[in-house]
Structure formats: C-alpha cells, structure tokens
Amino acid sequence: MAETQEIIKLENAHKDYRMGESVIHAVESIDLNIKKGDFIAIVGPSGSGKSTIMNLVGALDLASKGDIFLDGQNIENLSESELAQIRGRKVGFIFQTFNLIPTLTALENVMLPMMFQDIGREERRERAEKLLKDVGLEKRTNHLPAELSGGERQRVAIARALVNNPEVILADEPTGNLDTKTGRQVLEILKNLNKQGKTVIMVTHDLEMAREAKHIIRLRDGKIEK
Amino acid sequence: MKDYFFLAFNNLKRRKLRSWLTMLGIFIGIAAVVALISLGQGLQDYITEQFEMMGANKLIVMPGRGMGMMTADKLTSKDLNVIEKTKGVDMATAVVYSVSLIKFKDEVKSIFVIGLPTDKTADIFKEMGGFEAEKGRDLKEGERDKVVIGYLLAKDNGFFEKAVSLRDKLVIKEKEFRVVGIMKQIGNPGDDSQVYIPIDTAKEILDKKDEIDAVYVQTKDGFVPEQVAENLEKQLRKSRNEKEGEETFNIQTFEKLLETFQKVFSVVQGVLVGIAAISLLVGGVGIMNTMYTAVLERTKEIGTMKAVGAKNSDILLIFLFESGLLGLIGGLIGIVIGVGLGKGAEYIARMALGVSLFRASFPLWLIFGALVFSFVIGSASGILPAIQAAKLKPVDALRYE
Ligand SMILES: Nc1ncnc2c1ncn2[C@@H]1O[C@H](COP(=O)(O)OP(=O)(O)OP(=O)(O)O)[C@@H](O)[C@H]1O
Ligand SMILES: [Mg+2]
C-alpha cells in the first residue's frame, strides 16, 4: 500500500547538457520520493537545476541517467507519443511566463489540452467554463490573453493545467512575473488545489511562499541540500 | 480534424497580410492555369465541333504541295474525271473561288466569291461547310445569275453598310446577280461574309476557264477515307505524270487534319500550362518560406502545445493544415479569377472576332482538379517546415525566446 502512495519517484537522476567540449551537469544524483497529495516547494539559486527537475518530472525532457517514475510507471523508456499522453493527462504545467496561445481566447486556451485527447465537444466547453469560473474568470472567457492582466493570464493557465484532471501540478515560478498581491492569490489557488488532493510541486524564489508548502527541497549546483 | 483546422485557420487570420501575400503566388498560378485550360478546352471543342459538322467521310483535293500555300499549280476537269472514277469515291464536286469586287447599291468592296456546282454534288461542299440557307433557298440547277449570300451580308454594317435582303441585286465583276438565299450563321466572320454563285458563271467572270480550285470528295460507305486518299493520290500521280514526293496537289482528310490539330494543340497548351505551373512552384516556395517563418515564430507555442499533451503528429498536422489551407484558399481565389479571365477572353473573342460559337469551357475536373492541386501544393510545401516543428523537443521549444 505504501508504494501506491508514491506518485513521483526519482532514482539517481542525472541531466547533463553538452555545450561543445564541456558538459554541464544540470542535476546530479537526485533521489526523491513525493507522496500523493504532497505540496512541495523547490528553492535554490538561479541555475541550480530547479527547472530541470520539473522538466524531468513532467516528461518534457528525459534524464541522461537514472530513472523517473510517475504513478509507478518508469517514463524513461516510453515512446514520444506515450510521453505526450503523460504530459497531457498526468501532469499540469504552470509556467512563469503563462505561455498562453495568443490567438486563442481564454476559453479556447483552456480547451486546448482537450483537443489532444478524446473528449467530446460539449464536455470540453463545459469543463473549460467551469474551471474558468472556479478561478473567477467567468466574465473573461472570450478575451484574448493580450486583453488580460498578468494575474488573470496565470489563472487561465491554471485552469488549462487542470482541465484534463491531472494528479500532479507542476508550477515553475508561477508567481515570478506577478506582483506580491496577485502572487498570493495564485498561491492560494494552488493551496486549495492541494487541499482537494492534487500533488503540487512549485518552484519559487520567494521563501515566504515556500514556507506555505508542506515540504521544502533546497537545490544547490544540481544537488539536493540535506 | 476540425480542431486542427480551427487552429490553422486561427493562425492564418493572425497574420492576415502575410497570408494574403503568400496566397498571391498560388492564386496567380491557379488563375493562369484555369484560364488557359478553359480557353484551350473551349477552342478544342469549337474546332472539333466544326470538323464534325463537316463529316469524316469527306476529302478535299487541292492544287499545290500543302494546304494553305499560294501556288501556281492547278487542277482541271480532267483531274475531276480521274477523281470521280477512283475506287472508293462516291461523289466529287469541283468548286472555284476567288476574291473579287462586289457592288451593292453604291458601295463597292472585295469579297470572297465561291463558285458552286448547281447539281446535287454541291451537297458535299455544303455539308462540309456545315451550312444551309436560312432564308430563301439554295442555287438551282441551270441557274446562272443568282447568288446566295453569307450571313453577315444580310446585316446592317455586317459587310455592307446596308443589309442585303432577298431579291436585292448585287454586281460582281460587272455582272448582275439576284439574291435568292441567305446562309445561316457559321460562326466566324470570314465564312460568314462570302457569296456563292453557280460554278459556270463563276468560271466565266473570274477568268477560270478550265481551272478548279478544289475538289470535294465524298467517300463510299465502307471505305476508309485514308485509304481512298491513297488511291486518289496514286491515280492523280499517274494521270498528271508526277513522281511520288513531287506531287503538285494535296489531299486532306478531316481525320488527319483533326489529329494533327489536336497534337499540335496539346503541345502548345502543355507548354503554356507548364509555364503557368512554374508560377505555382514559386507560389509553393513562398508557402514554404512562410511556414518556416511561422515555425520559428511559434516555437514557444509549439513547446506549450507539447507540454499540454500534443503529440508530434498533432503538431505536424496543425502545420500541414495551415499550409494546405494557404494553398486551398489561394486556389479558390485563383479559380474565381481564372473563370473570370476565361469568360472575359470568351467575351472578347465574340465581340472583337465575332466567333460566336466559341465558349470557354470549365469542366468539373478542371475546377475540382485545381482545388485539389492547390491544396496539395500547399501541404507539400508545408511538409518540411511541419516536420521541423513536430521534431522540436518540448524543453528546447519552451526555452526558445
Ligand atoms: N538546454 C540547455 N542547454 C544547456 N544548458 C542548459 C540547458 N538547460 C539548462 N541548462 C543549464 O542547466 C543548469 C540548470 O538550469 P535550470 O534551468 O534547471 O536552472 P533553474 O534552477 O531553473 O534556474 P532559474 O532559477 O534561473 O530558472 C543551468 O546552468 C543552465 O544553464
Ligand atoms: Mg528555472
């Protein structure tokens, strides 16, 4: 039973970047167990490998060495389309720069991840509308990202991350481009999601915010500080 | 599918000006191809129709080495006799023609005068010309001073300022003729402004003596016209005492004529369409260029779509749809313009040249083919950029600034 509680597991994970002759060890020998329903904050100086770990966990990138398990499945040996399925269904990404598609309205942006899954038209709209309502944007559904404030854009992005009902939310500096007040609002949403049972991993520079998480992981030079 | 279409369309709308400029290359090419093919097809239909009207069992024997060349060589009534006796010949009829002055009221002009036999062999010629009297009647046997006029002469300002009517008097080479018939329209101004008089009178006033300008031959049922033509050639060579390859007469069969025409015509049309197709190629390169730019511009979006679950094949299709759509819309506009050009040219042909039977032809395969072709060009041009987009690694795409 204890095994099933572990949603994310990294075993001796390495990620190297080759830059011509030299090799950059972005992260090295990471062992990490994250339980279902946990709320983890990852902190550390710039370049310490925070984003790299998020990318590995979210199947955006493959480790150079070691294994990464998501929900008990080793994602290091999967095909491209299987990885795409994992990204689409098991995890929801929230980025510092929001990464909304500028030509799509808020509603369409939230519906986008469902286009790559087998979900009927009606249901897509219903789900997207409900999620936008949950983040308080029911009046902004037909606005383009350029017509929204930073905080509103990040809330659209959160709705988008949730739309396929993933178990894990990966937020890489979600408040980095927001002022303190809107940043807090976003943090509150993430805490709420965690209360509803989602596993949340958040990268942040803000120690005060990090303290709101259940656990903090400190990174330095690609390694976890004990 | 609908979603890819939606996303692709959305992106084209975003860069309206660029999309239009990119499509320009395609629609110019498609418009040119559609217009050229429709006119070519129309012309071919027109000529085939004209040939068919004349009938395939007819031959023409003319003096000279080849059709349409000015010649001092002559045919005589002796040749006509030889022709009539040749195996496979049903009937033969001689005609003479010449340009001559014609006077109506006080107006004098030159006109093409054709001398026709008045017996029933004249039918061969008439069938070949595809005409019959629309008003009045044909020339009768034994008549000497009657004339049948071409369609345009019976129109005000068609040939003379005033329209000529039945029973009017015309003076050809100082001899008076009375109009007994008006031909129905043939469809080209040359043929519609001729006059027809009895051959005996024509020989007299046109100074033809024993000369014949052409012999029209109708072959017997069951004989292949080509074969009869060969027989005729042999017999005429013998009676005229000429060596093979040095004949001073020539024989045309319509089949041969039509075949030659169609061959030459397809080559000409092929070359023209080929040239137009080059502009399509350029249009395709334009689409490729636009799509490469789009992939670069949207690298981060591609990363985002992959992060939310898009497979490589999804990205590939989105970009292919986009370039295919550029081609398709370009093609649609091109077809509209091409049809316009074709119809315009048809109108000009009718107004300026008076070729009223000529119609630009837009067969379904042309319209449909042009649409499919433009979509294929668009998609094909988008393949490489789309593969490049699909192959982007999610992290790299997301990091791209
Ligand atoms: N695609 C890449 N190619 C080369 N080096 C890379 C690449 N991605 C990351 N790195 C390097 O790996 C190290 C870790 O990068 P990472 O983005 O994980 O840092 P980070 O902790 O997220 O920093 P920040 O707080 O600035 O976002 C850095 O030294 C970075 O330069
Ligand atoms: Mg980072």
Side-chain angles (χ1 to χ4, degrees):
Chain A
M1 278 307 281
E3 279 299 303
T4 59
Q5 292 288 311
E6 243 153 37
I7 181 106
I8 294 162
K9 192 160 119 189
L10 280 73
E11 279 181 358
N12 193 26
H14 287 69
K15 182 71 199 179
D16 303 330
Y17 288 108
R18 221 165 288 275
M19 300 286 284
E21 292 293 290
S22 62
V23 174
I24 297 168
H25 302 287
V27 297
E28 279 179 275
S29 334
I30 303 282
D31 287 301
L32 190 60
N33 284 316
I34 297 173
K35 292 201 163 52
K36 213 174 217 167
D38 207 344
F39 187 166
I40 307 269
I42 301 181
V43 295
S46 184
S48 57
K50 306 181 294 291
S51 296
T52 305
I53 288 187
M54 295 293 262
N55 293 339
L56 291 178
V57 170
L60 282 175
D61 208 353
L62 293 176
S64 311
K65 200 177 130 192
D67 292 304
I68 290 149
F69 295 88
L70 236 173
D71 213 5
Q73 187 179 25
N74 188 341
I75 63 171
E76 293 302 301
N77 309 318
L78 298 181
S79 70
E80 181 276 326
S81 70
E82 286 168 325
L83 288 174
Q85 287 297 314
I86 299 235
R87 293 194 287 266
R89 291 178 185 169
K90 299 239 155 143
V91 297
F93 281 96
I94 299 165
F95 303 94
Q96 177 175 358
T97 49
F98 323 131
N99 290 14
L100 299 175
I101 308 289
T103 42
L104 301 180
T105 63
L107 186 71
E108 288 160 353
N109 262 291
V110 177
M111 286 161 73
L112 183 70
M114 294 186 282
M115 286 188 190
F116 307 117
Q117 311 295 333
D118 284 328
I119 297 170
R121 261 162 193 279
E122 278 304 297
E123 194 183 346
R124 289 188 205 172
R125 176 167 289 272
E126 272 168 31
R127 274 205 220 171
E129 273 170 353
K130 174 167 185 308
L131 282 166
L132 280 173
K133 199 171 167 221
D134 289 350
V135 293
L137 289 177
E138 63 270 32
K139 295 224 170 66
R140 294 278 184 275
T141 52
N142 291 320
H143 285 58
L144 291 172
E147 300 160 354
L148 299 173
S149 72
E152 286 170 332
R153 286 184 215 181
Q154 195 59 301
R155 281 185 277 158
V156 174
I158 291 172
R160 180 180 66 187
L162 292 171
V163 82
N164 281 334
N165 201 19
E167 305 225 24
V168 180
I169 299 292
L170 300 172
D172 193 346
E173 298 189 42
T175 61
N177 277 13
L178 302 175
D179 60 52
T180 322
K181 190 162 155 265
T182 22
R184 292 252 22 134
Q185 286 173 358
V186 167
L187 180 68
E188 285 310 315
I189 296 176
L190 289 177
K191 278 168 75 177
N192 256 324
L193 289 172
N194 178 244
K195 263 184 211 138
Q196 289 159 28
K198 303 269 184 219
T199 310
V200 179
I201 305 177
M202 174 180 74
V203 169
T204 182
H205 276 122
D206 188 329
L207 276 177
E208 222 174 285
M209 287 202 178
R211 262 179 232 119
E212 309 259 345
K214 290 181 183 164
H215 297 96
I216 298 181
I217 292 173
R218 289 169 204 280
L219 279 184
R220 183 171 294 278
D221 298 333
K223 294 188 181 115
I224 296 176
E225 276 189 331
K226 300 289 161 181
Chain B
M1 288 293 263
K2 243 180 171 172
D3 299 322
Y4 300 143
F5 188 82
F6 165 76
L7 289 174
F9 196 70
N10 223 290
N11 279 313
L12 293 184
K13 273 201 319 208
R14 159 161 58 171
R15 301 257 174 259
K16 274 208 192 81
L17 182 62
R18 188 199 293 167
S19 300
W20 283 114
L21 289 176
T22 306
M23 285 189 285
L24 198 66
I26 292 296
F27 69 64
I28 288 175
I30 290 282
V33 168
V34 167
L36 282 173
I37 294 185
S38 75
L39 290 175
Q41 195 69 27
L43 195 59
Q44 204 156 357
D45 291 351
Y46 170 68
I47 298 215
T48 308
E49 207 173 289
Q50 298 270 303
F51 276 125
E52 267 162 15
M53 260 175 3
M54 295 171 186
N57 61 342
K58 308 282 199 300
L59 307 174
I60 309 176
V61 185
M62 285 209 243
R65 288 165 194 279
M67 182 202 189
M69 283 181 217
M70 295 297 277
T71 178
D73 302 321
K74 294 182 170 67
L75 291 175
T76 62
S77 48
K78 189 179 154 219
D79 295 313
L80 180 61
N81 284 337
V82 174
I83 291 169
E84 277 170 336
K85 292 201 189 83
T86 301
K87 193 175 170 212
V89 172
D90 182 25
M91 271 200 290
T93 191
V95 300
V96 299
Y97 39 74
S98 183
V99 175
S100 169
L101 289 179
I102 186 165
K103 189 169 148 209
F104 175 59
K105 306 224 158 117
D106 288 325
E107 208 181 342
V108 179
K109 294 188 79 171
S110 331
I111 197 163
F112 201 64
V113 179
I114 299 179
L116 285 183
T118 47
D119 60 9
K120 74 175 180 54
T121 60
D123 290 349
I124 305 175
F125 176 79
K126 286 182 193 151
E127 273 176 40
M128 288 170 105
F131 50 59
E132 51 196 81
E134 182 182 57
K135 278 192 203 139
R137 56 169 176 83
D138 289 341
L139 299 169
K140 270 193 201 144
E141 204 154 356
E143 275 179 341
R144 295 192 52 82
D145 53 359
K146 299 285 188 288
V147 60
V148 172
I149 59 172
Y151 175 80
L152 283 177
L153 276 80
K155 294 266 167 283
D156 279 328
N157 291 316
F159 184 78
F160 293 114
E161 276 170 29
K162 287 256 149 37
V164 181
S165 341
L166 289 176
R167 285 184 296 281
D168 277 350
K169 273 188 200 138
L170 290 173
V171 179
I172 303 168
K173 279 259 178 137
E174 276 128 46
K175 187 170 167 52
E176 231 178 61
F177 289 85
R178 189 173 291 278
V179 177
V180 294
I182 297 167
M183 287 291 179
K184 89 171 194 212
Q185 189 176 19
I186 297 171
N188 68 73
D191 288 346
D192 283 327
S193 28
Q194 298 171 342
V195 292
Y196 309 86
I197 59 177
I199 189 164
D200 296 338
T201 324
K203 278 182 178 170
E204 276 166 33
I205 67 168
L206 299 175
D207 283 330
K208 291 280 185 182
K209 298 189 185 88
D210 197 26
E211 258 173 65
I212 292 171
D213 289 308
V215 177
Y216 287 75
V217 177
Q218 179 165 313
T219 58
K220 274 191 187 130
D221 283 350
F223 282 84
V224 183
E226 304 288 312
Q227 184 60 49
V228 178
E230 255 174 56
N231 297 346
L232 280 171
E233 213 168 287
K234 227 185 276 167
Q235 297 300 325
L236 282 171
R237 247 195 329 256
K238 212 164 40 174
S239 84
R240 290 167 69 99
N241 219 345
E242 288 171 357
K243 286 206 192 88
E244 189 162 354
E246 290 173 11
E247 297 90 346
T248 55
F249 61 91
N250 68 86
I251 301 172
Q252 281 144 28
T253 67
F254 282 112
E255 247 169 303
K256 206 161 74 189
L257 222 56
L258 189 60
E259 224 171 73
T260 318
F261 163 77
Q262 274 170 343
K263 240 183 241 157
V264 171
F265 191 79
S266 339
V267 171
V268 172
Q269 193 175 21
V271 169
L272 287 176
V273 170
I275 292 169
I278 290 175
S279 72
L280 279 178
L281 199 75
V282 175
V285 173
I287 290 187
M288 197 186 292
N289 180 45
T290 297
M291 293 312 294
Y292 269 124
T293 312
V295 172
L296 277 189
E297 262 177 7
R298 303 217 298 268
T299 298
K300 194 157 188 177
E301 279 175 45
I302 294 166
T304 304
M305 288 202 274
K306 289 196 162 186
V308 301
K311 293 192 279 292
N312 289 0
S313 57
D314 293 320
I315 303 292
L316 187 83
L317 283 174
I318 289 169
F319 277 84
L320 277 185
F321 262 65
E322 201 169 316
S323 61
L325 215 56
L326 275 174
L328 192 69
I329 298 174
L332 261 173
I333 298 170
I335 287 171
V336 171
I337 295 176
V339 169
L341 285 176
K343 281 275 162 202
E346 174 189 309
Y347 182 78
I348 289 168
R350 286 212 232 173
M351 290 300 129
L353 307 172
V355 195
S356 59
L357 293 179
F358 173 69
R359 300 228 180 296
S361 148
F362 305 97
L364 210 62
W365 62 260
L366 175 60
I367 303 300
F368 196 67
L371 265 189
V372 172
F373 191 59
S374 52
F375 182 71
V376 168
I377 285 188
S379 316
S381 310
I383 286 177
L384 291 177
I387 289 177
Q388 182 179 322
K391 277 202 317 213
L392 284 172
K393 280 171 53 186
V395 247
D396 295 341
L398 281 167
R399 282 171 62 94
Y400 185 88
E401 292 300 332

